[in-house]
Amino acid sequence: MHQWVTHSPEETMAFSECLASYLQPGDVLTLSGDLGAGKTIFSKGIAKGLGITEMVNSPTFTIVKEYHSGRIALYHMDVYRISDEEDIGLEDYFEQDGVTVIEWAENIPSWLPKDVLSIAVKRVNEQERIITCAAGGTRSERIYEEISKDERISH
Ligand code: ADP
Ligand code: MG
């Protein structure tokens, strides 16, 4: 199991920007980690890597925001306020041609597809974060293997 350490928000964004280069339509990524760990920063790097030019902010109140200006559409979700008992129809997004990134996905385990790349961001101190990834199927395994051997991101 690889782990990556970053020392600034810029480094975390550089990591996720690099990861984004391997994403294909229909991929689903989940982001877990405490408030302030860097999940939204990570999502911004994904957006940048997909070539999205719009400003990406945390969709805490809207739950989902869609961005269509990049190479692949991005569905950015924040389910901080959602519980697993609620059916808010998020699964419709997983069938579409965009990439889905879900912050606080641990809140909705029943609604997630099996083949997701689960990313955890752990705060070590003010500037340092540990990033770990786990693949749930063949699609996410491919992404995991690509980033594990990518020399643009040190580990
Ligand atoms: P979350 O979405 O997990 O609640 P945010 O991405 O909104 O967290 O915020 C992360 C905060 O941590 C930002 O203020 C960012 O500047 C700061 N930070 C400091 N070091 C890092 C790092 N290495 N990676 C990501 N964020 C960092
Ligand atoms: Mg956030």
Side-chain angles (χ1 to χ4, degrees), residues 6-12 33-42 58 103-104 121 125-129:
T6 68
H7 304 88
S8 66
E10 292 75 23
E11 264 188 46
T12 296
D34 295 339
L35 205 61
K39 301 180 294 298
T40 298
I41 294 276
F42 195 101
S58 188
E103 298 188 34
W104 295 102
V121 185
N125 57 38
E126 201 60 48
Q127 291 286 302
E128 207 170 302
R129 302 291 186 271

Side-chain angles (χ1 to χ4, degrees), residues 46-113:
I46 296 274
K48 192 173 174 212
L50 291 174
I52 287 161
T53 52
E54 296 130 289
M55 172 85 98
V56 173
N57 288 312
S58 188
T60 308
F61 296 98
T62 53
I63 303 168
V64 189
K65 276 191 198 165
E66 296 184 33
Y67 301 92
H68 293 275
S69 59
R71 147 180 104 74
I72 309 173
L74 171 66
Y75 314 131
H76 183 204
M77 305 178 180
D78 183 329
V79 295
Y80 182 61
R81 286 155 197 282
I82 306 302
S83 77
D84 208 33
E85 288 72 44
E86 293 172 82
D87 180 0
I88 55 168
L90 291 182
E91 67 274 21
D92 295 343
Y93 284 93
F94 309 145
E95 311 298 321
Q96 292 180 43
D97 284 339
V99 164
T100 306
V101 175
I102 315 169
E103 298 188 34
W104 295 102
E106 59 268 44
N107 283 358
I108 56 161
S110 314
W111 302 102
L112 300 176

